Amino acid sequence: MDISNQRILVIGGSGLVGKAICRSLLSHPEQQPAAITITGRSSSRIEKTLDELKALSATTEFSGITGDIFLPKCF
C-alpha cells in the first residue's frame, strides 16, 4: 500500500499500539505520508508522542486531537 502524500488519522495514537502503527507508517523513507493526526484522551501524552514522531520524519506534518469518543459530553 502506497501512503505517499496521504493524510492519516490514528485513533488512540498516543497509546502503545497507536505509537507502533505510527512508527511503522514512518519506517519507509520513500513513502512518507503528508500528514498524521493522532487522537487520545491525554493532551500531555499526545504532545509527548508528537515530539517522538517528529524526530522520525522531516517531511510529514503532525497534529493531535484530545478527546474521548466513547464518553460523549451530554447536554
Side-chain angles (χ1 to χ4, degrees):
M1 172 174 41
D2 186 6
I3 60 169
S4 301
N5 300 316
Q6 299 297 311
R7 301 184 67 79
I8 298 169
L9 171 65
V10 180
I11 297 172
S14 62
L16 293 175
V17 174
K19 283 187 205 182
I21 290 169
C22 291
R23 285 193 297 269
S24 178
L25 292 170
L26 297 169
S27 66
H28 303 287
E30 67 281 356
Q31 291 186 10
Q32 294 290 299
I36 294 178
T37 300
I38 63 171
T39 68
R41 290 181 285 172
S42 167
S43 60
S44 62
R45 285 183 63 185
I46 288 175
E47 289 303 317
K48 182 179 177 192
T49 301
L50 291 174
D51 289 341
E52 293 172 16
L53 295 175
K54 287 175 185 174
L56 300 176
S57 176
T59 59
T60 301
E61 176 187 322
F62 296 96
S63 60
I65 301 170
T66 304
D68 190 337
I69 62 171
F70 299 109
L71 296 172
K73 187 175 182 179
C74 297
F75 294 98

